[in-house]
Amino acid sequence: MRHTLLYALIILSCITCTSKVNTENSILDLVPNNATLVFKINDFESLKDELSTNEVLQNLKTLEPFKKIANQLQPLDYLADQKKGLIAISPLDSTNIAYTYISIDSLSFKNWEGLTDKSIETHSYNNLNITKYQISESLFFSSYIESYWVTCSSEKLLQQLIDEIDSPKINSSLKRFYAISNKEKVMNIWFDMEQGERLINQILTPDQSISNFASWMSLDLTLNDTEILLNGVTETNLETNHFLNLFNNTKPIQNKTATLIPSEAHYYKSFGFDDFKKFSKNKTSANYRTSILDSLLNTVEEIGLTKVGNEKILLLRTYGTATLLDYINDEKVSTEEYSGNEIWELKSNNKIFKPLEPIIGEASFTYSSIIENTFLFSTSKSGLESLLSKYKSGDTFDKTSLYRTAENKLTSASSIITISNLKGTIDILEETVSKSLSKTFDKSKLNDYVFGSQFIVDDGFYHSNFLIKKITEEDEQNTVTSAFNVQFNTDLATLPQFVTNHNNRKKEIIVQDQENNLYLISNSGKILWKKQLSSTVQGKVQQVDLYKNGKLQFAFTTNNEFLILDRNGNEVKPFTMKFSGGNLNPLAVFDYENKKNYRFVVTQNEKVFMYNSKGDIVKGFKYDSAEGNILDAPQHFRIGKKDYLIFKLDNGQLKITDRVGKTRVTLKDKFSFSDNDIKLYQNKFTFTSLDGDLIQVDTKGGISSTKLNLAKDHGMDATTRTLAVMNDNILQIRNKKIQLELGVYSKPTIFYLNDKIYISVTDIQNQKIYLFDSQAESIPNFPIFGNSVIDMADINNNKKAELVFKDQENTIQVFKIR
């Protein structure tokens, strides 16, 4: 029902195109008519960050055809302060491609003054200015058209867009996809497979088969360090012989043939449908041949294909074996028993595989056997013997890490599903997609990755999922085991936290007991050193690289001191500063340009002390005395090119300054601040009040308040895209609410670790910890006990062990989450 409603929404958006939609879609007016590949970037900076850390793309970027696209888009690397926009890829002529970048963000460049090999020329065209930029070997053209900045690699293409601006031709599929695009994803991708054959042939080679597969594909991109996920929909043209049309009006089924094939299979393909007669009818519509033999396969509901070594194997799962078994008995030449199963040799001119040619090609198999209701076919007897042997021993594909890694990201029922290792992917690409793309992956170093694709028919379109992910032994199992625990002579005074060992980049733990001893603990639970302090550490210990040599120090405040310690616990001069009267807030550390030119901010009552990396007061900072007592450590946010320093004052004032302490945003309203930190959520300064309201302040001083009717002791945490609120016993993550048992709950804490987001909350009254993922699903098998989840990290830096630790009286316990 949900999928049907989604498709109805797509159709409705085409029919009821209001003026509001036209306004929102006006950016499409500037997309070239022949654009084949369109990228909608929803968060430019996040996308660049994720692209730069993704191991798959870093591996492929120097190989064709990815290199060709990357070289085309290289000039966009010079742009600065871009938030969102569209990139359209089009064929320019028979041998070249061009890009068009469209955005409302003004055109500015990184370090423009520092670029030496550059030139700018501007001339007029149809009453608009076109500016030609030459930076090193990059040449591109830009113009401001209808409130948008348009940048093209081709001046001719830019002129064409200017000429057609009064009568734009927008592709109807592109318009539909734009209207329902998921803005929460960093990027949406739209691919015109049918009309884009010219571009596809340039990017790949004319031997490609993609343009015959479907008409349009709309995908949302999710990137993690070792994973690429693409999820969306694919459309077909019913008047064209697209491959996917073979599955029209069928229903997906659970794919089960993976439970039969050997574990060493390079790939696994499964084609499923609820009614083979519909498949046969679709073949006729698509101009494929049908014959009387089609009726022999009427009970087939799954077609499986695999390759073990050089041996191809075909599996036909049925809900009735009688008819097909009778045919095989008539076609067999001989019978041999192997391990309790019969293996039949078939006549060489056997025609039973003809009805399956649209799927398996012009293949023929000589040997056959059967396991329960599934027929097995192979070109050699040894191939079937190996399969039967592996099946009986339980050494099957569905039990491999390869399969399970993909299975956790794909749905259980499919019309088409493919799961493969690198060798299998190379074979599949060569046989069914593109020989040139196959050669590209053959040169890659993705041997420890799984590749998956899936199509699920649903009332006229296909849900589509694509996956490239590093194979993990226990991926997404969410099992929790103890790593170690450390017991102290006295109770703990601070919450333990993970810190980085700069020698090996692994994680260690820093914590303080109630006798004011500060401890550093190794990743195996060994106490490395203990240092006596005069009072309790305020807030979190921060790590800095004072000397810009990769060696990290610990910076923090106590009640009356500002201290920096080296890795061995020794004090770093001159950072042992005492403040009479005490009452210091936690230390704030700002690094405006990420160049390790630190600003250390110590606040005491209404006083503000800002120090540089040498321990000197920063003379240029003017906000050294606030209008009231400062409630917590100041916070720094960077939005675009501007810095914002945030101070919460006890008189209800929210002070927002620039980096030199001048007021950047003026707010007349006063607030009853809750104990929760201010977060940058949806690009707005977001916090909650004691009155139970969610308050957001934009960079122009605009204030919005949402009444959430929160209790005074509510908790809130947020990232740029995820908001978590704990109110009484109701935890809300994004738009999902979870009702927990009655208790007294801590603030929710959001952790981002190894490509995943976790949210933890603690029932202080009943001493229980709860852990959830970003979809508000609880983590199974997580031990519900203790005081609180404090911090999470990959202690051994191997991207396998995700650890969480808690304190319970005088003990730290560390758990591995897999």
Side-chain angles (χ1 to χ4, degrees), residues 54-57 60 66 222-230 405 409 425 441 446 448-453 466-471:
N54 183 269
E55 292 181 9
V56 181
L57 293 175
L60 295 173
F66 305 99
T222 301
L223 283 176
N224 297 310
D225 287 350
T226 58
E227 179 180 58
I228 297 176
L229 285 175
L230 293 163
T405 299
K409 296 292 182 178
T425 300
F441 278 87
L446 300 174
D448 53 349
Y449 279 78
V450 61
F451 302 78
S453 64
F466 297 90
L467 162 75
I468 304 178
K469 180 176 172 58
K470 182 166 281 189
I471 301 167

PDB file of all heavy atoms in Angstrom, residues 54-57 60 66 222-230 405 409 425 441 446 448-453 466-471:
ATOM      1  N   ASN A  54      35.388   8.298   0.957  1.00  0.00           N
ATOM      2  CA  ASN A  54      34.815   7.028   0.513  1.00  0.00           C
ATOM      3  C   ASN A  54      35.885   6.197  -0.196  1.00  0.00           C
ATOM      4  O   ASN A  54      36.422   6.606  -1.232  1.00  0.00           O
ATOM      5  CB  ASN A  54      33.627   7.265  -0.413  1.00  0.00           C
ATOM      6  CG  ASN A  54      32.958   5.971  -0.827  1.00  0.00           C
ATOM      7  OD1 ASN A  54      33.302   5.385  -1.846  1.00  0.00           O
ATOM      8  ND2 ASN A  54      32.027   5.508  -0.015  1.00  0.00           N
ATOM      9  N   GLU A  55      36.187   5.036   0.341  1.00  0.00           N
ATOM     10  CA  GLU A  55      37.268   4.204  -0.181  1.00  0.00           C
ATOM     11  C   GLU A  55      36.968   3.687  -1.583  1.00  0.00           C
ATOM     12  O   GLU A  55      37.877   3.532  -2.402  1.00  0.00           O
ATOM     13  CB  GLU A  55      37.525   3.033   0.764  1.00  0.00           C
ATOM     14  CG  GLU A  55      38.105   3.447   2.112  1.00  0.00           C
ATOM     15  CD  GLU A  55      38.370   2.253   3.015  1.00  0.00           C
ATOM     16  OE1 GLU A  55      38.259   1.106   2.529  1.00  0.00           O
ATOM     17  OE2 GLU A  55      38.685   2.480   4.191  1.00  0.00           O
ATOM     18  N   VAL A  56      35.711   3.412  -1.879  1.00  0.00           N
ATOM     19  CA  VAL A  56      35.353   2.880  -3.194  1.00  0.00           C
ATOM     20  C   VAL A  56      35.640   3.910  -4.284  1.00  0.00           C
ATOM     21  O   VAL A  56      36.318   3.622  -5.284  1.00  0.00           O
ATOM     22  CB  VAL A  56      33.871   2.465  -3.241  1.00  0.00           C
ATOM     23  CG1 VAL A  56      33.524   1.889  -4.610  1.00  0.00           C
ATOM     24  CG2 VAL A  56      33.553   1.476  -2.144  1.00  0.00           C
ATOM     25  N   LEU A  57      35.154   5.130  -4.082  1.00  0.00           N
ATOM     26  CA  LEU A  57      35.339   6.172  -5.094  1.00  0.00           C
ATOM     27  C   LEU A  57      36.797   6.589  -5.208  1.00  0.00           C
ATOM     28  O   LEU A  57      37.274   6.904  -6.307  1.00  0.00           O
ATOM     29  CB  LEU A  57      34.456   7.371  -4.755  1.00  0.00           C
ATOM     30  CG  LEU A  57      32.950   7.102  -4.859  1.00  0.00           C
ATOM     31  CD1 LEU A  57      32.153   8.306  -4.396  1.00  0.00           C
ATOM     32  CD2 LEU A  57      32.555   6.731  -6.273  1.00  0.00           C
ATOM     33  N   LEU A  60      38.312   4.111  -7.473  1.00  0.00           N
ATOM     34  CA  LEU A  60      37.875   4.122  -8.876  1.00  0.00           C
ATOM     35  C   LEU A  60      38.145   5.421  -9.614  1.00  0.00           C
ATOM     36  O   LEU A  60      38.092   5.446 -10.845  1.00  0.00           O
ATOM     37  CB  LEU A  60      36.366   3.822  -8.939  1.00  0.00           C
ATOM     38  CG  LEU A  60      35.905   2.440  -8.469  1.00  0.00           C
ATOM     39  CD1 LEU A  60      34.388   2.383  -8.446  1.00  0.00           C
ATOM     40  CD2 LEU A  60      36.464   1.337  -9.365  1.00  0.00           C
ATOM     41  N   PHE A  66      35.122   6.630 -14.768  1.00  0.00           N
ATOM     42  CA  PHE A  66      34.961   7.562 -13.659  1.00  0.00           C
ATOM     43  C   PHE A  66      35.942   8.734 -13.782  1.00  0.00           C
ATOM     44  O   PHE A  66      35.630   9.864 -13.433  1.00  0.00           O
ATOM     45  CB  PHE A  66      35.162   6.819 -12.340  1.00  0.00           C
ATOM     46  CG  PHE A  66      34.274   5.630 -12.188  1.00  0.00           C
ATOM     47  CD1 PHE A  66      34.744   4.347 -12.455  1.00  0.00           C
ATOM     48  CD2 PHE A  66      32.948   5.772 -11.817  1.00  0.00           C
ATOM     49  CE1 PHE A  66      33.922   3.244 -12.329  1.00  0.00           C
ATOM     50  CE2 PHE A  66      32.117   4.674 -11.687  1.00  0.00           C
ATOM     51  CZ  PHE A  66      32.605   3.401 -11.951  1.00  0.00           C
ATOM     52  N   THR A 222      23.670   7.498  -0.559  1.00  0.00           N
ATOM     53  CA  THR A 222      24.178   7.461   0.811  1.00  0.00           C
ATOM     54  C   THR A 222      25.625   6.989   0.748  1.00  0.00           C
ATOM     55  O   THR A 222      25.904   5.931   0.177  1.00  0.00           O
ATOM     56  CB  THR A 222      23.365   6.505   1.699  1.00  0.00           C
ATOM     57  OG1 THR A 222      21.996   6.930   1.718  1.00  0.00           O
ATOM     58  CG2 THR A 222      23.901   6.505   3.120  1.00  0.00           C
ATOM     59  N   LEU A 223      26.531   7.780   1.314  1.00  0.00           N
ATOM     60  CA  LEU A 223      27.954   7.449   1.289  1.00  0.00           C
ATOM     61  C   LEU A 223      28.473   7.289   2.698  1.00  0.00           C
ATOM     62  O   LEU A 223      28.178   8.106   3.571  1.00  0.00           O
ATOM     63  CB  LEU A 223      28.756   8.561   0.594  1.00  0.00           C
ATOM     64  CG  LEU A 223      28.717   8.647  -0.926  1.00  0.00           C
ATOM     65  CD1 LEU A 223      29.489   9.873  -1.392  1.00  0.00           C
ATOM     66  CD2 LEU A 223      29.303   7.404  -1.557  1.00  0.00           C
ATOM     67  N   ASN A 224      29.236   6.246   2.914  1.00  0.00           N
ATOM     68  CA  ASN A 224      30.012   6.091   4.125  1.00  0.00           C
ATOM     69  C   ASN A 224      31.438   5.764   3.711  1.00  0.00           C
ATOM     70  O   ASN A 224      31.718   5.594   2.526  1.00  0.00           O
ATOM     71  CB  ASN A 224      29.424   4.992   5.012  1.00  0.00           C
ATOM     72  CG  ASN A 224      28.020   5.346   5.475  1.00  0.00           C
ATOM     73  OD1 ASN A 224      27.789   6.437   5.971  1.00  0.00           O
ATOM     74  ND2 ASN A 224      27.082   4.432   5.294  1.00  0.00           N
ATOM     75  N   ASP A 225      32.340   5.668   4.651  1.00  0.00           N
ATOM     76  CA  ASP A 225      33.741   5.463   4.309  1.00  0.00           C
ATOM     77  C   ASP A 225      33.960   4.224   3.458  1.00  0.00           C
ATOM     78  O   ASP A 225      34.778   4.224   2.537  1.00  0.00           O
ATOM     79  CB  ASP A 225      34.588   5.356   5.582  1.00  0.00           C
ATOM     80  CG  ASP A 225      34.745   6.701   6.276  1.00  0.00           C
ATOM     81  OD1 ASP A 225      34.361   7.717   5.675  1.00  0.00           O
ATOM     82  OD2 ASP A 225      35.248   6.733   7.410  1.00  0.00           O
ATOM     83  N   THR A 226      33.246   3.153   3.733  1.00  0.00           N
ATOM     84  CA  THR A 226      33.463   1.890   3.027  1.00  0.00           C
ATOM     85  C   THR A 226      32.187   1.382   2.377  1.00  0.00           C
ATOM     86  O   THR A 226      32.011   0.182   2.208  1.00  0.00           O
ATOM     87  CB  THR A 226      33.996   0.820   4.003  1.00  0.00           C
ATOM     88  OG1 THR A 226      33.048   0.648   5.072  1.00  0.00           O
ATOM     89  CG2 THR A 226      35.336   1.219   4.578  1.00  0.00           C
ATOM     90  N   GLU A 227      31.319   2.296   1.975  1.00  0.00           N
ATOM     91  CA  GLU A 227      30.016   1.863   1.476  1.00  0.00           C
ATOM     92  C   GLU A 227      29.413   2.912   0.547  1.00  0.00           C
ATOM     93  O   GLU A 227      29.534   4.105   0.784  1.00  0.00           O
ATOM     94  CB  GLU A 227      29.098   1.626   2.677  1.00  0.00           C
ATOM     95  CG  GLU A 227      27.695   1.194   2.351  1.00  0.00           C
ATOM     96  CD  GLU A 227      26.880   0.985   3.613  1.00  0.00           C
ATOM     97  OE1 GLU A 227      26.748   1.939   4.412  1.00  0.00           O
ATOM     98  OE2 GLU A 227      26.381  -0.126   3.812  1.00  0.00           O
ATOM     99  N   ILE A 228      28.786   2.432  -0.512  1.00  0.00           N
ATOM    100  CA  ILE A 228      27.958   3.270  -1.384  1.00  0.00           C
ATOM    101  C   ILE A 228      26.585   2.616  -1.455  1.00  0.00           C
ATOM    102  O   ILE A 228      26.464   1.439  -1.804  1.00  0.00           O
ATOM    103  CB  ILE A 228      28.541   3.395  -2.799  1.00  0.00           C
ATOM    104  CG1 ILE A 228      29.903   4.080  -2.772  1.00  0.00           C
ATOM    105  CG2 ILE A 228      27.590   4.171  -3.704  1.00  0.00           C
ATOM    106  CD1 ILE A 228      30.567   4.152  -4.138  1.00  0.00           C
ATOM    107  N   LEU A 229      25.550   3.383  -1.128  1.00  0.00           N
ATOM    108  CA  LEU A 229      24.182   2.900  -1.227  1.00  0.00           C
ATOM    109  C   LEU A 229      23.402   3.816  -2.163  1.00  0.00           C
ATOM    110  O   LEU A 229      23.473   5.040  -2.045  1.00  0.00           O
ATOM    111  CB  LEU A 229      23.502   2.894   0.141  1.00  0.00           C
ATOM    112  CG  LEU A 229      23.890   1.802   1.132  1.00  0.00           C
ATOM    113  CD1 LEU A 229      23.202   2.055   2.462  1.00  0.00           C
ATOM    114  CD2 LEU A 229      23.496   0.435   0.602  1.00  0.00           C
ATOM    115  N   LEU A 230      22.666   3.218  -3.073  1.00  0.00           N
ATOM    116  CA  LEU A 230      21.779   3.958  -3.971  1.00  0.00           C
ATOM    117  C   LEU A 230      20.397   3.339  -3.869  1.00  0.00           C
ATOM    118  O   LEU A 230      20.234   2.139  -4.119  1.00  0.00           O
ATOM    119  CB  LEU A 230      22.287   3.903  -5.413  1.00  0.00           C
ATOM    120  CG  LEU A 230      23.603   4.626  -5.701  1.00  0.00           C
ATOM    121  CD1 LEU A 230      24.202   4.169  -7.009  1.00  0.00           C
ATOM    122  CD2 LEU A 230      23.384   6.136  -5.726  1.00  0.00           C
ATOM    123  N   THR A 405      26.555  -9.623   4.319  1.00  0.00           N
ATOM    124  CA  THR A 405      26.821  -8.187   4.272  1.00  0.00           C
ATOM    125  C   THR A 405      25.820  -7.489   3.370  1.00  0.00           C
ATOM    126  O   THR A 405      25.294  -6.423   3.697  1.00  0.00           O
ATOM    127  CB  THR A 405      28.248  -7.919   3.767  1.00  0.00           C
ATOM    128  OG1 THR A 405      29.185  -8.529   4.667  1.00  0.00           O
ATOM    129  CG2 THR A 405      28.536  -6.430   3.708  1.00  0.00           C
ATOM    130  N   LYS A 409      21.396  -5.063   3.781  1.00  0.00           N
ATOM    131  CA  LYS A 409      21.089  -3.791   3.132  1.00  0.00           C
ATOM    132  C   LYS A 409      20.001  -3.915   2.074  1.00  0.00           C
ATOM    133  O   LYS A 409      19.553  -2.901   1.528  1.00  0.00           O
ATOM    134  CB  LYS A 409      22.361  -3.222   2.477  1.00  0.00           C
ATOM    135  CG  LYS A 409      23.465  -2.870   3.463  1.00  0.00           C
ATOM    136  CD  LYS A 409      23.074  -1.682   4.325  1.00  0.00           C
ATOM    137  CE  LYS A 409      24.201  -1.294   5.266  1.00  0.00           C
ATOM    138  NZ  LYS A 409      23.848  -0.117   6.083  1.00  0.00           N
ATOM    139  N   THR A 425      31.391  -9.702 -10.237  1.00  0.00           N
ATOM    140  CA  THR A 425      30.962  -8.420 -10.810  1.00  0.00           C
ATOM    141  C   THR A 425      31.601  -8.199 -12.168  1.00  0.00           C
ATOM    142  O   THR A 425      30.943  -7.745 -13.120  1.00  0.00           O
ATOM    143  CB  THR A 425      31.338  -7.272  -9.857  1.00  0.00           C
ATOM    144  OG1 THR A 425      30.681  -7.471  -8.608  1.00  0.00           O
ATOM    145  CG2 THR A 425      30.937  -5.922 -10.437  1.00  0.00           C
ATOM    146  N   PHE A 441      36.616  -2.345 -13.527  1.00  0.00           N
ATOM    147  CA  PHE A 441      36.563  -3.001 -12.222  1.00  0.00           C
ATOM    148  C   PHE A 441      37.633  -4.077 -12.086  1.00  0.00           C
ATOM    149  O   PHE A 441      38.080  -4.378 -10.982  1.00  0.00           O
ATOM    150  CB  PHE A 441      35.168  -3.570 -11.968  1.00  0.00           C
ATOM    151  CG  PHE A 441      34.199  -2.543 -11.464  1.00  0.00           C
ATOM    152  CD1 PHE A 441      33.474  -1.752 -12.346  1.00  0.00           C
ATOM    153  CD2 PHE A 441      34.021  -2.341 -10.109  1.00  0.00           C
ATOM    154  CE1 PHE A 441      32.590  -0.795 -11.890  1.00  0.00           C
ATOM    155  CE2 PHE A 441      33.145  -1.385  -9.633  1.00  0.00           C
ATOM    156  CZ  PHE A 441      32.429  -0.606 -10.525  1.00  0.00           C
ATOM    157  N   LEU A 446      39.083  -3.756  -5.249  1.00  0.00           N
ATOM    158  CA  LEU A 446      37.904  -3.911  -4.399  1.00  0.00           C
ATOM    159  C   LEU A 446      37.606  -5.379  -4.115  1.00  0.00           C
ATOM    160  O   LEU A 446      36.458  -5.804  -4.084  1.00  0.00           O
ATOM    161  CB  LEU A 446      36.700  -3.235  -5.075  1.00  0.00           C
ATOM    162  CG  LEU A 446      36.861  -1.730  -5.349  1.00  0.00           C
ATOM    163  CD1 LEU A 446      35.679  -1.205  -6.152  1.00  0.00           C
ATOM    164  CD2 LEU A 446      37.006  -0.954  -4.051  1.00  0.00           C
ATOM    165  N   ASP A 448      37.773  -7.010  -1.419  1.00  0.00           N
ATOM    166  CA  ASP A 448      37.090  -7.285  -0.152  1.00  0.00           C
ATOM    167  C   ASP A 448      35.750  -6.569  -0.056  1.00  0.00           C
ATOM    168  O   ASP A 448      35.279  -6.258   1.036  1.00  0.00           O
ATOM    169  CB  ASP A 448      37.983  -6.902   1.033  1.00  0.00           C
ATOM    170  CG  ASP A 448      38.491  -5.473   0.950  1.00  0.00           C
ATOM    171  OD1 ASP A 448      38.334  -4.835  -0.120  1.00  0.00           O
ATOM    172  OD2 ASP A 448      39.056  -4.987   1.953  1.00  0.00           O
ATOM    173  N   TYR A 449      35.116  -6.313  -1.209  1.00  0.00           N
ATOM    174  CA  TYR A 449      33.817  -5.649  -1.255  1.00  0.00           C
ATOM    175  C   TYR A 449      32.757  -6.570  -1.848  1.00  0.00           C
ATOM    176  O   TYR A 449      33.052  -7.430  -2.678  1.00  0.00           O
ATOM    177  CB  TYR A 449      33.891  -4.363  -2.087  1.00  0.00           C
ATOM    178  CG  TYR A 449      34.444  -3.194  -1.318  1.00  0.00           C
ATOM    179  CD1 TYR A 449      35.807  -3.062  -1.097  1.00  0.00           C
ATOM    180  CD2 TYR A 449      33.598  -2.225  -0.798  1.00  0.00           C
ATOM    181  CE1 TYR A 449      36.320  -1.999  -0.385  1.00  0.00           C
ATOM    182  CE2 TYR A 449      34.102  -1.150  -0.085  1.00  0.00           C
ATOM    183  CZ  TYR A 449      35.459  -1.044   0.124  1.00  0.00           C
ATOM    184  OH  TYR A 449      35.943   0.010   0.840  1.00  0.00           O
ATOM    185  N   VAL A 450      31.517  -6.358  -1.411  1.00  0.00           N
ATOM    186  CA  VAL A 450      30.376  -7.037  -2.007  1.00  0.00           C
ATOM    187  C   VAL A 450      29.630  -6.028  -2.883  1.00  0.00           C
ATOM    188  O   VAL A 450      29.554  -4.842  -2.563  1.00  0.00           O
ATOM    189  CB  VAL A 450      29.437  -7.608  -0.923  1.00  0.00           C
ATOM    190  CG1 VAL A 450      28.883  -6.521  -0.029  1.00  0.00           C
ATOM    191  CG2 VAL A 450      28.287  -8.400  -1.561  1.00  0.00           C
ATOM    192  N   PHE A 451      29.090  -6.533  -3.990  1.00  0.00           N
ATOM    193  CA  PHE A 451      28.332  -5.711  -4.932  1.00  0.00           C
ATOM    194  C   PHE A 451      26.914  -6.275  -5.000  1.00  0.00           C
ATOM    195  O   PHE A 451      26.730  -7.492  -5.172  1.00  0.00           O
ATOM    196  CB  PHE A 451      28.974  -5.735  -6.320  1.00  0.00           C
ATOM    197  CG  PHE A 451      30.401  -5.255  -6.342  1.00  0.00           C
ATOM    198  CD1 PHE A 451      31.434  -6.078  -5.915  1.00  0.00           C
ATOM    199  CD2 PHE A 451      30.710  -3.978  -6.770  1.00  0.00           C
ATOM    200  CE1 PHE A 451      32.750  -5.636  -5.917  1.00  0.00           C
ATOM    201  CE2 PHE A 451      32.020  -3.524  -6.779  1.00  0.00           C
ATOM    202  CZ  PHE A 451      33.042  -4.355  -6.350  1.00  0.00           C
ATOM    203  N   GLY A 452      25.923  -5.433  -4.862  1.00  0.00           N
ATOM    204  CA  GLY A 452      24.551  -5.901  -4.884  1.00  0.00           C
ATOM    205  C   GLY A 452      23.641  -4.983  -5.671  1.00  0.00           C
ATOM    206  O   GLY A 452      23.861  -3.764  -5.730  1.00  0.00           O
ATOM    207  N   SER A 453      22.640  -5.557  -6.302  1.00  0.00           N
ATOM    208  CA  SER A 453      21.606  -4.768  -6.976  1.00  0.00           C
ATOM    209  C   SER A 453      20.282  -5.483  -6.808  1.00  0.00           C
ATOM    210  O   SER A 453      20.236  -6.715  -6.665  1.00  0.00           O
ATOM    211  CB  SER A 453      21.922  -4.575  -8.460  1.00  0.00           C
ATOM    212  OG  SER A 453      21.925  -5.816  -9.142  1.00  0.00           O
ATOM    213  N   PHE A 466      21.034  -0.350  -4.975  1.00  0.00           N
ATOM    214  CA  PHE A 466      22.370  -0.730  -5.404  1.00  0.00           C
ATOM    215  C   PHE A 466      23.313  -0.582  -4.218  1.00  0.00           C
ATOM    216  O   PHE A 466      23.154   0.327  -3.400  1.00  0.00           O
ATOM    217  CB  PHE A 466      22.857   0.149  -6.561  1.00  0.00           C
ATOM    218  CG  PHE A 466      22.023   0.026  -7.807  1.00  0.00           C
ATOM    219  CD1 PHE A 466      20.936   0.859  -8.009  1.00  0.00           C
ATOM    220  CD2 PHE A 466      22.318  -0.920  -8.768  1.00  0.00           C
ATOM    221  CE1 PHE A 466      20.153   0.761  -9.144  1.00  0.00           C
ATOM    222  CE2 PHE A 466      21.539  -1.039  -9.911  1.00  0.00           C
ATOM    223  CZ  PHE A 466      20.453  -0.198 -10.097  1.00  0.00           C
ATOM    224  N   LEU A 467      24.313  -1.446  -4.163  1.00  0.00           N
ATOM    225  CA  LEU A 467      25.181  -1.494  -2.996  1.00  0.00           C
ATOM    226  C   LEU A 467      26.594  -1.874  -3.401  1.00  0.00           C
ATOM    227  O   LEU A 467      26.800  -2.800  -4.187  1.00  0.00           O
ATOM    228  CB  LEU A 467      24.625  -2.537  -2.010  1.00  0.00           C
ATOM    229  CG  LEU A 467      25.562  -3.065  -0.920  1.00  0.00           C
ATOM    230  CD1 LEU A 467      25.744  -2.002   0.153  1.00  0.00           C
ATOM    231  CD2 LEU A 467      25.004  -4.346  -0.331  1.00  0.00           C
ATOM    232  N   ILE A 468      27.562  -1.131  -2.882  1.00  0.00           N
ATOM    233  CA  ILE A 468      28.959  -1.564  -2.863  1.00  0.00           C
ATOM    234  C   ILE A 468      29.423  -1.349  -1.429  1.00  0.00           C
ATOM    235  O   ILE A 468      29.394  -0.227  -0.927  1.00  0.00           O
ATOM    236  CB  ILE A 468      29.853  -0.767  -3.837  1.00  0.00           C
ATOM    237  CG1 ILE A 468      29.310  -0.831  -5.263  1.00  0.00           C
ATOM    238  CG2 ILE A 468      31.278  -1.295  -3.804  1.00  0.00           C
ATOM    239  CD1 ILE A 468      30.123  -0.014  -6.257  1.00  0.00           C
ATOM    240  N   LYS A 469      29.835  -2.423  -0.772  1.00  0.00           N
ATOM    241  CA  LYS A 469      30.138  -2.325   0.653  1.00  0.00           C
ATOM    242  C   LYS A 469      31.254  -3.286   1.017  1.00  0.00           C
ATOM    243  O   LYS A 469      31.313  -4.399   0.516  1.00  0.00           O
ATOM    244  CB  LYS A 469      28.885  -2.641   1.479  1.00  0.00           C
ATOM    245  CG  LYS A 469      29.074  -2.570   2.991  1.00  0.00           C
ATOM    246  CD  LYS A 469      27.756  -2.790   3.717  1.00  0.00           C
ATOM    247  CE  LYS A 469      27.951  -2.916   5.213  1.00  0.00           C
ATOM    248  NZ  LYS A 469      28.609  -1.750   5.814  1.00  0.00           N
ATOM    249  N   LYS A 470      32.118  -2.833   1.919  1.00  0.00           N
ATOM    250  CA  LYS A 470      33.196  -3.707   2.379  1.00  0.00           C
ATOM    251  C   LYS A 470      32.592  -4.893   3.129  1.00  0.00           C
ATOM    252  O   LYS A 470      31.696  -4.738   3.951  1.00  0.00           O
ATOM    253  CB  LYS A 470      34.160  -2.939   3.276  1.00  0.00           C
ATOM    254  CG  LYS A 470      35.346  -3.779   3.757  1.00  0.00           C
ATOM    255  CD  LYS A 470      36.454  -2.931   4.353  1.00  0.00           C
ATOM    256  CE  LYS A 470      37.298  -2.291   3.264  1.00  0.00           C
ATOM    257  NZ  LYS A 470      38.508  -1.649   3.817  1.00  0.00           N
ATOM    258  N   ILE A 471      33.115  -6.084   2.825  1.00  0.00           N
ATOM    259  CA  ILE A 471      32.612  -7.305   3.455  1.00  0.00           C
ATOM    260  C   ILE A 471      33.074  -7.337   4.906  1.00  0.00           C
ATOM    261  O   ILE A 471      34.245  -7.112   5.206  1.00  0.00           O
ATOM    262  CB  ILE A 471      33.124  -8.549   2.712  1.00  0.00           C
ATOM    263  CG1 ILE A 471      32.668  -8.517   1.244  1.00  0.00           C
ATOM    264  CG2 ILE A 471      32.638  -9.823   3.387  1.00  0.00           C
ATOM    265  CD1 ILE A 471      33.368  -9.527   0.370  1.00  0.00           C
TER     266      ILE A 471
END
